[in-house]
Amino acid sequence: MKKYILILLSLFFLYSCTTSKTVVSQNVNLNKYEYASIINNDTYHIPAELMEYEIQLFDAVENSRLKLVSDARIYELSTDRQEKLLLVKYGVNVQQEETVVTVNFIDYETGRPVASCRGAYSSLGIAGAGYDIKEAIEQVAKQISTTFPKSN
């Protein structure tokens, strides 16, 4: 019985270390941003077998107040709209202990990072990497929605 309690306490401790959070620059007014363009190149691209997760990442940004703009159409935006544009870069780090999805928002004009949302989840390898990625994306989606809430 003590062995099972110790295992449960260990699992609880490891799970409690998995945190989702957002960091926002102190010198930036996030309310000015209305548009987002997800960078989709060789550096920021999920392999084809993980495409369903990339769809969820796009959905996560789209469910905020930000309007998605294709990276191929940024140059068609007026200068005023480009001033309200954030570039979005993401990363996925899958390990047995924890899966972390990070979504970074960068001011289009200055290249300055303005916000970073982190979603983390861990089933300690029990549920599998696919489940952990899905849950980490759900966590980062909550962070994005909190950081860029839809107006009432």
Side-chain angles (χ1 to χ4, degrees):
M1 184 68 165
K2 289 182 183 179
K3 181 179 176 182
Y4 292 115
I5 292 173
L6 182 60
I7 290 171
L8 284 174
L9 287 174
S10 296
L11 289 173
F12 177 74
F13 174 74
L14 287 173
Y15 182 75
S16 66
C17 294
T18 302
T19 58
S20 299
K21 65 178 183 175
T22 297
V23 176
V24 177
S25 173
Q26 296 177 8
N27 301 321
V28 174
N29 177 8
L30 293 182
N31 291 325
K32 86 172 200 174
Y33 298 103
E34 296 178 19
Y35 305 96
S37 181
I38 298 175
I39 302 302
N40 193 9
N41 60 27
D42 291 337
T43 304
Y44 299 97
H45 188 71
I46 291 179
E49 62 271 15
L50 300 177
M51 183 58 74
E52 67 182 285
Y53 305 113
E54 188 170 41
I55 291 168
Q56 291 174 328
L57 283 167
F58 273 72
D59 287 348
V61 174
E62 198 169 45
N63 288 331
S64 72
R65 72 167 154 54
L66 300 173
K67 297 176 193 120
L68 282 178
V69 175
S70 167
D71 57 348
R73 303 195 79 176
I74 290 174
Y75 301 107
E76 295 175 17
L77 293 175
S78 68
T79 304
D80 290 341
R81 288 185 174 174
Q82 286 179 355
E83 290 174 0
K84 299 174 183 178
L85 175 66
L86 289 170
L87 298 178
V88 181
K89 297 180 181 181
Y90 57 85
V92 178
N93 184 6
V94 178
Q95 297 181 354
Q96 185 172 354
E97 312 81 48
E98 176 181 58
T99 297
V100 177
V101 175
T102 306
V103 179
N104 298 310
F105 296 87
I106 300 158
D107 183 280
Y108 174 74
E109 286 197 315
T110 65
R112 184 186 197 291
V114 297
S116 180
C117 298
R118 177 185 192 268
Y121 187 81
S122 177
S123 68
L124 299 173
I126 296 169
Y131 182 79
D132 287 2
I133 292 171
K134 179 181 172 285
E135 293 298 318
I137 290 172
E138 285 183 18
Q139 294 299 316
V140 81
K142 290 176 187 174
Q143 296 298 317
I144 293 168
S145 291
T146 301
T147 306
F148 301 99
K150 290 185 177 183
S151 55
N152 295 329

